[in-house]
Amino acid sequence: MARVPVAALRTMTRRTRPARRGTRPLPAPELAARPRPWLRALGLTAVVLVGAWLGLLIVGSVRTPVGPMNTTMALRPSLTGGTKINISPLGALTLDSHVAPVRLDVNVDQLDPLRSQDLVDHPERISGLQDEVAADVEHGTLDLAVRSCVAVVAGATALGLAVYRSPRRALAAGGLALTLLAASGASAYATWNPKSILEPRFSGLLSSAPSVVGNARSIVSDFNVYQSELARLVTNVTKLYDVTSTLPAYQPDPSTIRVLHVSDIHLNPASWKIVSSLVEQYKVNVIVDSGDTMDHGTSAENGFLDPIRDLGVPYVWVRGNHDSRTTQRYLRRMKNVHVLDDGRAQTVAGLRFAGIGDPQFTPDRSVVPGGDAAEQLAGDRLASALRDQRAAGTPVDVAIAHEPAAARETDGEVPLVLCGHLHHEGDEMLPYGTRLRMEGSTGGSGLRAVEHTYPAPVEASILYFDRDSRRLQAWDAIRLGGLGETTAEVSRHLADEAVGQRAHRRHAGATPTPTAPSPASPAPSP
């Protein structure tokens, strides 16, 4: 029999000896590390968002009548919120109605023939359409809220159950989805803007029918805007469907003066077709051109200006830095053209205009421009002329300059000043209460349209003035796709009444309080 070493026996005894009481056994080694908490939270968030979106997409919509129309309402995820009204096949209206991670989509499915015919046969019903439409929208929104809650909870819970195979975690996903929707609803309620229905952005064929939101006078006089304008919208959409083949012409308020503002045509012959179309569509009373109609200002280019004679309305013009004195003399000979320079004022279509030509003539881009000093000096001359007009009891309603640096010098002397030059649209309230409206390039920057990666858009504006006060009430910003593009957008903007009253008081002779000087304008365009 072989001997076993004593050390080996001790080792075997320790291995087989039961553990003492009160001592813990060594933990078993783990095969994999536990998942990190932030990864689990990220995964749950993804499940909640995807599940809620799927729920809204599949069952989160309601069909509801709004006046004579059958509509479908739905909530959709969005970074900016707002409301989109799809009026197929005419186009869509986009409203900045709220700020939240969900957008309200309203699809006009069809026009109910019985209800619409009843509205046509009994026009007196239109007076009660306001309350009817408001009630329909409120009822549909409540139904949509309930259905959306059910949709997000069901979608997130079902996806959570499929991913985690755990009822507890699936219910947690559903609860988080409901909390997220409630928070979105609270954000939408807190930022709700009923006046957004007065400032829609049109797309598609509706770009040529801005009358669906009413005229300029009703824009500034209605205070119960949501119900009344929504009823107006429904009425006009009914009319749009009723005629089917053509869009209704813009129906102007007889007391509204409509001004078409164009600028920086830069020798683009296609611009005259666009201008003529806008004049006809909007029943324009007068056109204002804030310069750079030409490109080099040579006499050989003068024939380009001949279509102005056939536009059928007065044409108010100031010289830009691409327009020469030769150009100016040629335009003076046209009967419907009113050339403004040196601050001289003329009354055209019920409004008194005053303007000054650009002091610089820089058609060649190799010529170094004189900078803002010359422009500001021209602006000072225009401001002095405006003060003289006011002292004589004939205050100017609209001032015109080509360059923004010159236009800013008129601050406090006139309610509104128009300019161009920078080839993009803009609106600015100057420190002393004058509104500066800068137009983009109505010629899509002319020959310069092909110099950049994307063609410049064609931009123009329709300005609405009250005939009695001669103050700006609202404007439609028109933006068409540039060379080779077919997009169109019209957005309506309202003039701030409080700001307009402040400008009116200063225009009437009040002394403005000194403020910080206005910033220098950007460098002139080439």
Side-chain angles (χ1 to χ4, degrees), residues 72-198:
T72 299
M73 296 184 179
L75 292 179
R76 294 290 180 259
S78 171
L79 295 177
T80 58
T83 299
K84 185 175 183 180
I85 304 175
N86 298 301
I87 310 175
S88 178
L90 302 174
L93 292 84
T94 304
L95 312 176
D96 295 327
S97 57
H98 62 276
V99 178
V102 289
R103 184 187 72 224
L104 174 62
D105 282 3
V106 181
N107 296 316
V108 179
D109 298 326
Q110 63 181 0
L111 198 66
D112 185 277
L114 297 178
R115 284 180 287 160
S116 60
Q117 188 62 43
D118 183 58
L119 189 64
V120 173
D121 294 340
H122 303 282
E124 66 276 5
R125 282 201 56 213
I126 295 179
S127 60
L129 186 62
Q130 171 179 328
D131 296 331
E132 180 183 344
V133 169
D136 290 343
V137 171
E138 182 179 0
H139 184 266
T141 304
L142 291 176
D143 286 351
L144 178 63
V146 173
R147 182 179 286 266
S148 297
C149 290
V150 175
V152 298
V153 171
T157 302
L159 186 61
L161 190 62
V163 172
Y164 296 116
R165 308 285 182 177
S166 168
R168 182 176 63 85
R169 300 193 73 178
L171 291 175
L176 287 175
L178 182 60
T179 302
L180 178 62
L181 182 62
S184 301
S187 175
Y189 179 80
T191 59
W192 176 250
N193 176 25
K195 286 191 175 183
S196 63
I197 199 167
L198 296 179

Side-chain angles (χ1 to χ4, degrees), residues 161-368:
L161 190 62
V163 172
Y164 296 116
R165 308 285 182 177
S166 168
R168 182 176 63 85
R169 300 193 73 178
L171 291 175
L176 287 175
L178 182 60
T179 302
L180 178 62
L181 182 62
S184 301
S187 175
Y189 179 80
T191 59
W192 176 250
N193 176 25
K195 286 191 175 183
S196 63
I197 199 167
L198 296 179
E199 302 185 59
R201 292 187 298 276
F202 298 94
S203 61
L205 293 177
L206 284 178
S207 297
S208 61
S211 58
V212 293
V213 293
N215 54 53
R217 180 172 288 274
S218 67
I219 285 173
V220 296
S221 62
D222 292 341
F223 293 96
N224 194 10
V225 292
Y226 179 69
Q227 292 186 9
S228 60
E229 292 302 325
L230 189 59
R232 187 191 302 276
L233 177 64
V234 169
T235 302
N236 283 282
V237 169
T238 302
K239 294 177 182 178
L240 287 174
Y241 273 95
D242 192 45
V243 296
T244 64
S245 59
T246 59
L247 292 174
Y250 179 73
Q251 299 297 327
D253 188 317
S255 66
T256 301
I257 302 173
R258 295 160 303 285
V259 177
L260 170 59
H261 183 199
V262 301
S263 189
D264 296 87
I265 292 176
H266 282 292
L267 217 64
N268 185 348
S271 298
W272 299 127
K273 291 290 186 182
I274 296 172
V275 170
S276 178
S277 176
L278 292 174
V279 167
E280 181 179 359
Q281 174 68 25
Y282 287 85
K283 307 302 180 190
V284 166
N285 300 107
V286 57
I287 302 170
V288 171
D289 187 338
S290 49
D292 273 6
T293 314
M294 310 296 260
D295 207 50
H296 291 85
T298 63
S299 58
E301 296 173 332
N302 285 345
F304 169 75
L305 302 169
D306 291 344
I308 294 177
R309 293 189 177 97
D310 302 323
L311 292 175
V313 293
Y315 198 93
V316 179
W317 182 85
V318 297
R319 188 178 66 252
N321 61 295
H322 284 257
D323 304 317
S324 66
R325 298 281 180 173
T326 301
T327 303
Q328 183 162 308
R329 287 191 294 269
Y330 189 82
L331 282 169
R332 281 190 188 278
R333 294 196 290 267
M334 294 187 185
K335 292 183 178 180
N336 65 320
V337 176
H338 301 264
V339 175
L340 302 181
D341 201 1
D342 299 320
R344 287 190 296 271
Q346 294 188 36
T347 299
V348 184
L351 295 173
R352 186 172 290 109
F353 297 92
I356 194 166
D358 197 297
Q360 303 180 93
F361 179 52
T362 56
D364 188 347
R365 283 176 288 178
S366 65
V367 176
V368 178

Side-chain angles (χ1 to χ4, degrees), residues 264 402-404 420-424 438-441 521-525:
D264 296 87
H402 176 65
E403 226 272 10
H421 184 64
L422 296 185
H423 297 185
H424 64 79
M438 181 169 62
E439 193 52 75
S441 174
S521 69
S525 62

Side-chain angles (χ1 to χ4, degrees), residues 28-34:
E30 297 183 358
L31 297 177
R34 293 181 179 179

